[in-house]
Amino acid sequence: MSQVAHSLSVERVEMLEDADMADLCEATDAAIIESGGFGWVAPQGREALTRHFRGVLLVPERELFVARLDGHPVGSAQLVRPARNNEAQAWSAHLTHAYIAPYARGHGLARMLVRRVEERAAALGHRVLNLDVRETQNTAISLFEGLGYVRWGTHPAYARIEGRTVAGHHYYKILDPQRGRPMEALFPQES
């Protein structure tokens, strides 16, 4: 049996054409239905999701990354930077709303998506990337832990899904600096 070679890519987007927006909305609803990686628990439909993504593109502290399979959007993630007045936490950022549609999984796109967000965060000078995930999202938990994210805590009443309280895990990862001070200067060893 021959394997089909697929084109895989992840890009940071500042605008989306109508066809790409439609594909991204479809992928998002598919991920929501499968409960994989978005805050919504019920599909939202194209109109609501289009408003959502257009809004994301307008927020200065948010960057949208889109994963593509054979040129079609099949998932996304957002990099959220602290507001400018939050100088004390300017060295960290947050990875949120990361997902790949169920029909596009198994190609390594989730790993590519997270790595691309990490690269961008490091290039912007962030040294810590934070994220949180529902305890029910075992595949995402395995992905993040496999990529070196450290679980620092669990919130026992993180979300409500279908009338049930679900815990959520909180993670961080120290990013390799692309520029600036070496890691040892950021986290000195105690003597």
Side-chain angles (χ1 to χ4, degrees):
M1 190 152 120
S2 65
Q3 293 214 338
V4 176
H6 292 282
S7 167
L8 308 174
S9 66
V10 173
E11 63 184 354
R12 183 171 59 95
V13 299
E14 295 179 357
M15 64 165 290
L16 288 166
E17 300 293 331
D18 288 343
D20 283 347
M21 182 65 80
D23 286 346
L24 186 57
C25 291
E26 177 185 320
T28 304
D29 267 343
I32 292 167
I33 290 166
E34 198 269 336
S35 77
F38 224 86
W40 283 302
V41 294
Q44 297 298 299
R46 184 171 176 188
E47 186 177 322
L49 291 172
T50 297
R51 281 194 313 271
H52 167 78
F53 285 115
R54 290 202 198 290
V56 167
L57 293 170
L58 293 174
V59 178
E61 293 85 12
R62 287 185 181 260
E63 294 188 9
L64 180 64
F65 293 79
V66 173
R68 294 178 183 269
L69 177 64
D70 298 330
H72 297 280
V74 294
S76 71
Q78 295 175 35
L79 173 63
V80 181
R81 299 181 313 277
R84 290 182 59 195
N85 68 321
N86 191 353
E87 291 178 336
Q89 292 182 336
W91 80 323
S92 67
H94 199 88
L95 168 63
T96 188
H97 299 307
Y99 66 94
I100 300 294
Y103 53 81
R105 295 180 185 160
H107 300 286
L109 274 170
R111 182 175 296 275
M112 284 178 65
L113 183 62
V114 173
R115 290 278 193 218
R116 181 68 182 95
V117 173
E118 291 174 355
E119 290 167 5
R120 175 68 175 162
L124 290 171
H126 300 293
R127 296 297 170 257
V128 178
L129 195 57
N130 299 301
L131 64 87
D132 50 86
V133 62
R134 290 193 309 257
E135 70 176 345
T136 57
Q137 296 173 314
N138 295 320
T139 302
I141 290 168
S142 294
L143 170 72
F144 294 130
E145 290 179 356
L147 288 171
Y149 284 81
V150 177
R151 184 186 307 181
W152 63 264
T154 298
H155 187 308
Y158 174 81
R160 292 283 291 171
I161 309 295
E162 298 176 352
R164 190 175 131 239
T165 301
V166 176
H169 302 306
H170 296 268
Y171 291 88
Y172 74 92
K173 183 176 183 177
I174 306 301
L175 301 175
D176 291 327
Q178 305 275 324
R179 56 176 200 234
R181 295 185 291 174
M183 211 52 87
E184 297 77 32
L186 296 173
F187 301 97
Q189 298 294 321
E190 293 184 29
S191 15

